[in-house]
C-alpha cells in the first residue's frame, strides 16, 4: 500500500492497464480523471495528510453552500467559477492565521492542481505569487509589505544595469564595465530578437511597452543569474507568466499592456522563482555536463511504464526525441500550446507535489493520445514530423 500512495497510484493504474490490455488513455480517462482526480487528494503521499486536506476541502465547500464531499466521486460536484473565486478568497484570508495556514494552503493546492476556472482569473496572480515562492506562506499576512520590498529590490537591480527610455519605441542602454560591453550588447540584441518573435498572434505581445518590459526582465534575470544567463525559450515562458499575472483578464490590449508595465517587478519575481526550479534541467538540456537528472531519461522511464510498446518502437527507430523533451518538459509547453492552455497546465505544475516534473507526464499523455499513428510509422523522419506537431493537435482542456 505504501508503495502506491500518492503520485505512484497513477503508475499503478498504468501497469494494471498494461497487464489487462486496457489502453492507457482509457485508464487515465475512466479511472483517474473522472474519478480519483476529482474526488481524492491522491497526489499527497502521506495518507493522514491527504485525509486532512479532504476534510478541509469538504468543510470549506460547506461554508460556501456546497455540502458535497470530495470523498466520493458519485457525490462530488466541481465548483462553479463563482464558488471557486469565493473559496480562494476565503483561503487567503485563513492563511493569515498561523492556526489555519497549513490546511488553507493544502486546500488551495488541491483546488489549483485541478485547474482554476475562468472565474478565478482575478485571483490567479495571487495564487501564482504564492505557489511560485515569490510570497512565502508565512508572509501572507504581510503581503503588501513583502511585495513592496521585492519591487524595490527589482528596481535596484534594473537601475544598476539597464536604462530604458520612455519613447514610443523604447531604447536601451546597458551599464557595465567597458570590457563587458560587447558581451552585454550581444545578449541584449539576442533577447530583443526573441521577444519580437514572441506570441505575435496576440496583440498584447506586439505592443512596444510589453516588449520593453519583457526585454528588461530577461536582461536583468540573465545578469543576476550568470550560471544560466539567458537561453532561447525563456521568452516564451515569460509570456506565460505575463498572461497569468496581467493578460489573463477581460481588459483591452492597451489596458493589459499598462498592467504589464505596472506589474513588471511582480512578473520578474514570479518568473525568477519558477526558473529557479528549472535551471538545472535547462542547463543540462542546452549545454550538457550537469549532475542533475537528465529529463530525457525520466521521460523514457515514464513512457516505459505507461506504454512499453511505444517506448520500444521509439527505441528501435532511434527516435530523435531530445528536442521535444526540451520544448515540452523544460520549457513546459510554453512554445507549443495556446497561452490559455499553458496557464491552465502551469496551475497544476505549481500546485502539485511533483511540481514541474508533471510536464513529463503531460508529454507522455500527449504521445499516447496519438499512439496508433505513432506505432504505424516506420520512418524516423515521419515520426519526427508527427511529434513536432503533436501538442497543437491535443485538447489539454478536456484532460
Amino acid at each position: 500500500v505504501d508503495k502506491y500512495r500518492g503520485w505512484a497510484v497513477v503508475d499503478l493504474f498504468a501497469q494494471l492497464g498494461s497487464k489487462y490490455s486496457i489502453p492507457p488513455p482509457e485508464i487515465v480517462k475512466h479511472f483517474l480523471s473522472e474519478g480519483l482526480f476529482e474526488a481524492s487528494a491522491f497526489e499527497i503521499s502521506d495518507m493522514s495528510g491527504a485525509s486532512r486536506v479532504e476534510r478541509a476541502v469538504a468543510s470549506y465547500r460547506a461554508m460556501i453552500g456546497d455540502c458535497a464531499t470530495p470523498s466520493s466521486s458519485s457525490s462530488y460536484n466541481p465548483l462553479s467559477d463563482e464558488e471557486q473565486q469565493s473559496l480562494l478568497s476565503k483561503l487567503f484570508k485563513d492563511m493569515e492565521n498561523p492556526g489555519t495556514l497549513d490546511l488553507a494552503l493544502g486546500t488551495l493546492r488541491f483546488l489549483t492542481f485541478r485547474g482554476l476556472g475562468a472565474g478565478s482569473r482575478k485571483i490567479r496572480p495571487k495564487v501564482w505569487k504564492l505557489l511560485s515562492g515569490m510570497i512565502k506562506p508565512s508572509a501572507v499576512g504581510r503581503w503588501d509589505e513583502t511585495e513592496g520590498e521585492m519591487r524595490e529590490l527589482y528596481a535596484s537591480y534594473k537601475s544598476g544595469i539597464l536604462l530604458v527610455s520612455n519613447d514610443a519605441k523604447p531604447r536601451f542602454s546597458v551599464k557595465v564595465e567597458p570590457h563587458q560591453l560587447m558581451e552585454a550588447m550581444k545578449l541584449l540584441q539576442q533577447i530583443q530578437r526573441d521577444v519580437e518573435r514572441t506570441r505575435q498572434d496576440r496583440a498584447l505581445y506586439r505592443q512596444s511597452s510589453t516588449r520593453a518590459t519583457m526585454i528588461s526582465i530577461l536582461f536583468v534575470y540573465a545578469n543576476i543569474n550568470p550560471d544560466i544567463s539567458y537561453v532561447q525559450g525563456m521568452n516564451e515562458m515569460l509570456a506565460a507568466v505575463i498572461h497569468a499575472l496581467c493578460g489573463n483578464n477581460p481588459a483591452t490590449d492597451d489596458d493589459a499592456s499598462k498592467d504589464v508595465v505596472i506589474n513588471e517587478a511582480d512578473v520578474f519575481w514570479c518568473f525568477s522563482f519558477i526558473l529557479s526550479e528549472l535551471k538545472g534541467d535547462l542547463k543540462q538540456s542546452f549545454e550538457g555536463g550537469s549532475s542533475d537528472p537528465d529529463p530525457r531519461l525520466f521521460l523514457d522511464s515514464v513512457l516505459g511504464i505507461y506504454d512499453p510498446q511505444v517506448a520500444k518502437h521509439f527505441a528501435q527507430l532511434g527516435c530523435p526525441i531530445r528536442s521535444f523533451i526540451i520544448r515540452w518538459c523544460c520549457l513546459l509547453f510554453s512554445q507549443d500550446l495556446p497561452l490559455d492552455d499553458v496557464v491552465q497546465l502551469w496551475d497544476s505544475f505549481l500546485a502539485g507535489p511533483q511540481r514541474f516534473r508533471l510536464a513529463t507526464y503531460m508529454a507522455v499523455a500527449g504521445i499516447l493520445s496519438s499512439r496508433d499513428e505513432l506505432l504505424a510509422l516506420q520512418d524516423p523522419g515521419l515520426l519526427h514530423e508527427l511529434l513536432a506537431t503533436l501538442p497543437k493537435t491535443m485538447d489539454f482542456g478536456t484532460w
Side-chain angles (χ1 to χ4, degrees):
V1 173
D2 288 340
K3 181 178 179 181
Y4 290 108
R5 282 179 182 165
W7 194 256
V9 73
V10 182
D11 292 344
L12 171 63
F13 273 89
Q15 292 177 52
L16 290 173
S18 177
K19 179 178 180 179
Y20 294 105
S21 301
I22 302 174
E26 291 187 23
I27 286 286
V28 172
K29 177 176 174 58
H30 297 297
F31 294 94
L32 296 175
S33 66
E34 293 179 356
L36 188 65
F37 183 74
E38 291 286 0
S40 168
F42 75 93
E43 67 273 17
I44 301 176
S45 58
D46 174 58
M47 185 174 291
S48 62
S51 296
R52 286 196 300 272
V53 168
E54 288 172 1
R55 289 195 298 270
V57 171
S59 176
Y60 277 111
R61 288 170 65 95
M63 291 180 192
I64 61 171
D66 183 348
C67 296
T69 64
S71 60
S72 170
S73 60
S74 61
S75 63
Y76 182 80
N77 298 307
L79 293 168
S80 69
D81 287 344
E82 290 184 1
E83 290 172 332
Q84 192 176 75
Q85 173 79 16
S86 175
L87 180 48
L88 289 169
S89 298
K90 168 67 174 169
L91 291 172
F92 274 106
K93 187 67 177 176
D94 284 358
M95 275 187 270
E96 297 179 15
N97 182 346
T100 54
L101 188 155
D102 288 343
L103 281 181
L105 178 59
T107 303
L108 182 138
R109 288 186 177 278
F110 177 95
L111 294 172
T112 306
F113 181 67
R114 285 150 182 80
L116 299 179
S120 300
R121 61 169 61 93
K122 292 182 180 179
I123 205 167
R124 177 178 272 119
K126 199 168 184 178
V127 173
W128 276 41
K129 290 175 187 178
L130 177 70
L131 296 183
S132 69
M134 173 184 165
I135 303 293
K136 306 301 181 189
S138 59
V140 169
R142 298 181 291 105
W143 192 283
D144 292 343
E145 178 185 349
T146 303
E147 274 189 336
E149 292 171 353
M150 299 189 77
R151 288 167 183 169
E152 289 181 7
L153 182 57
Y154 172 72
S156 70
Y157 285 153
K158 182 179 177 180
S159 63
I161 58 175
L162 189 66
L163 293 176
V164 185
S165 72
N166 292 320
D167 302 335
K169 187 176 181 179
R171 291 176 288 109
F172 300 87
S173 301
V174 297
K175 301 167 66 176
V176 296
E177 296 296 327
H179 69 278
Q180 298 173 317
L181 184 59
M182 184 176 295
E183 191 66 28
M185 290 304 300
K186 181 180 178 181
L187 172 63
L188 181 62
Q189 290 166 5
Q190 178 64 60
I191 290 172
Q192 287 177 303
R193 286 194 296 270
D194 290 345
V195 166
E196 288 172 0
R197 293 193 294 261
T198 304
R199 295 289 175 176
Q200 291 308 287
D201 58 317
R202 307 288 293 240
L204 173 62
Y205 299 93
R206 296 196 300 269
Q207 301 219 16
S208 59
S209 57
T210 302
R211 289 180 175 179
T213 298
M214 293 181 69
I215 292 166
S216 298
I217 289 173
L218 292 169
F219 188 77
V220 173
Y221 178 85
N223 276 272
I224 66 174
N225 292 277
D227 56 331
I228 185 66
S229 185
Y230 169 79
V231 295
Q232 287 183 308
M234 286 184 180
N235 52 308
E236 300 286 357
M237 301 177 78
L238 177 58
V241 177
I242 287 174
H243 189 64
L245 269 60
C246 310
N248 193 33
N249 57 63
T252 66
D253 292 324
D254 286 340
D255 288 341
S257 187
K258 292 176 183 176
D259 202 20
V260 173
V261 174
I262 293 170
N263 291 284
E264 178 177 330
D266 294 353
V267 172
F268 169 83
W269 285 115
C270 191
F271 172 77
S272 296
F273 275 95
I274 289 172
L275 262 290
S276 69
E277 298 182 49
L278 298 167
K279 287 198 293 186
D281 282 351
L282 283 169
K283 194 167 186 178
Q284 167 78 347
S285 297
F286 283 95
E287 299 178 8
S290 170
S291 60
D292 295 322
D294 190 330
R296 288 169 288 167
L297 299 179
F298 184 52
L299 184 136
D300 287 343
S301 174
V302 174
L303 182 60
I305 293 172
Y306 276 70
D307 200 318
Q309 185 179 0
V310 172
K312 182 179 179 181
H313 183 62
F314 282 4
Q316 288 176 336
L317 291 182
C319 178
I321 202 169
R322 178 180 183 274
S323 61
F324 303 108
I325 304 310
I326 294 173
R327 282 169 48 185
W328 299 348
C329 301
C330 297
L331 302 181
L332 308 177
F333 293 95
S334 59
Q335 285 187 331
D336 293 279
L337 294 175
L339 277 173
D340 289 338
D341 289 342
V342 174
V343 168
Q344 285 276 328
L345 282 180
W346 287 26
D347 285 344
S348 298
F349 296 159
L350 288 167
Q354 288 274 321
R355 297 289 281 184
F356 301 108
R357 285 296 190 191
L358 179 58
T360 300
Y361 289 87
M362 299 304 301
V364 170
I367 290 170
L368 297 186
S369 70
S370 297
R371 74 184 301 273
D372 291 341
E373 295 175 76
L374 292 167
L375 288 172
L377 294 174
Q378 299 300 320
D379 184 291
L382 294 177
L383 192 62
H384 185 280
E385 290 180 12
L386 179 56
L387 286 170
T389 60
L390 195 59
K392 294 179 174 61
T393 66
M394 298 184 294
D395 183 5
F396 281 90
T398 63
W399 294 9

